Amino acid sequence: KQEVTQIPAALSVPEGENLVLNCSFTDSAIYNLQWFRQDPGKGLTSLLLIQSSQREQTSGRLNASLDKSSGRSTLYIAASQPGDSATYLCAVVGHFGNEKLTFGTGTRLTIIP
Amino acid sequence: GAGVSQTPSNKVTEKGKYVELRCDPISGHTALYWYRQSLGQGPEFLIYFQGTGAADDSGLPNDRFFAVRPEGSVSTLKIQRTERGDSAVYLCASSLTAQGATEAFFGQGTRLTVV
């Protein structure tokens, strides 16, 4: 059974710093990995999708990397801003034909102005 | 609409009652998913539809939970004889194609509280 872990559970950093969020998964046979953002009381907003054949994806100040063989992904946020404060979730889709997302428990990020 | 729409946004019901939660996916998205999220946890998979049929319902916790998607668009999650443990946020997502090839887009969720 696939298990997804995110460490740390919570993180506070001063505004302007670069930071890295970690995600690990136990079964390396994934089809893709997706990073989401969740604001309090809201649904999930998709940030980046990495196919299993890719090593990284970038969108603005966000960069996600994937090392499938070691079961790890990182989300790098450059020049953090107070508006980046949210919970960040990673999720994996299993092998072809398995559609469901398996989520980690998330990292709650607070950017201190 | 432009995104996934879920109604109601909040639902309070008494233990033992029946509830229906509605999801209106992005137009043209053939895949639809239901997840349940408890406080402080990541969403947990409940059921996945491809078109009108349930392709995977392995996440439904018991036979009190049932979901339909009769015309391949709107879906309804139905919970019978609700229990306090059913309290959670129920999230719906849709994607353009199956096989995990495209991003899943989520609605704002329905917060269900069973009292």
Side-chain angles (χ1 to χ4, degrees):
Chain A
K1 179 187 171 185
Q2 178 74 271
E3 292 184 2
V4 180
T5 303
Q6 291 186 248
I7 295 173
L11 179 66
S12 294
V13 300
E15 180 179 2
E17 287 198 0
N18 304 324
L19 60 100
V20 174
L21 307 180
N22 297 294
C23 172
S24 61
F25 44 95
T26 55
D27 184 350
S28 63
I30 65 168
Y31 194 74
N32 66 40
L33 182 146
Q34 200 165 347
W35 281 93
F36 294 90
R37 168 190 173 131
Q38 186 171 34
D39 293 284
K42 304 292 186 182
L44 279 66
T45 300
S46 177
L47 297 174
L48 289 163
L49 171 72
I50 310 178
Q51 299 291 351
S52 61
S53 58
Q54 298 175 317
R55 295 299 299 266
E56 66 178 326
Q57 281 285 345
T58 298
S59 176
R61 295 183 294 107
L62 305 180
N63 176 276
S65 68
L66 174 64
D67 184 343
K68 202 172 91 163
S69 62
S70 68
R72 295 184 180 186
S73 176
T74 61
L75 179 66
Y76 174 83
I77 302 177
S80 58
Q81 303 171 357
D84 295 331
S85 297
T87 295
Y88 290 80
L89 294 151
C90 72
V92 299
V93 171
H95 53 83
F96 185 87
N98 181 344
E99 311 311 322
K100 57 195 173 189
L101 287 160
T102 301
F103 283 86
T105 53
T107 294
R108 189 172 69 253
L109 176 65
T110 302
I111 306 300
I112 304 165
Chain B
V4 178
S5 176
Q6 291 188 246
T7 55
S9 55
N10 283 283
K11 176 73 176 178
V12 180
T13 190
E14 293 181 347
K15 178 175 177 294
K17 298 290 188 182
Y18 168 84
V19 297
E20 290 189 351
L21 312 179
R22 176 188 168 106
C23 173
D24 198 341
I26 294 172
S27 178
H29 281 196
T30 58
L32 185 147
Y33 316 80
W34 284 98
Y35 294 84
R36 178 167 73 172
Q37 186 175 25
S38 299
L39 191 64
Q41 301 296 313
E44 294 181 328
F45 170 79
L46 295 176
I47 187 169
Y48 153 58
F49 288 90
Q50 182 55 237
T52 61
D56 183 352
D57 64 359
S58 63
L60 295 177
N62 52 60
D63 61 6
R64 294 186 298 105
F65 289 75
F66 188 71
V68 296
R69 194 185 184 198
E71 298 179 356
S73 179
V74 171
S75 176
T76 304
L77 178 65
K78 307 180 181 192
I79 310 174
Q80 299 177 322
R81 304 183 303 280
T82 51
E83 300 177 357
R84 293 195 177 87
D86 298 335
S87 296
V89 176
Y90 290 80
L91 294 164
C92 176
S94 69
S95 66
L96 185 57
T97 64
Q99 292 82 50
T102 60
E103 293 174 82
F105 294 89
F106 280 77
Q108 297 296 295
T110 293
R111 181 176 300 277
L112 176 66
T113 303
V114 181
V115 298

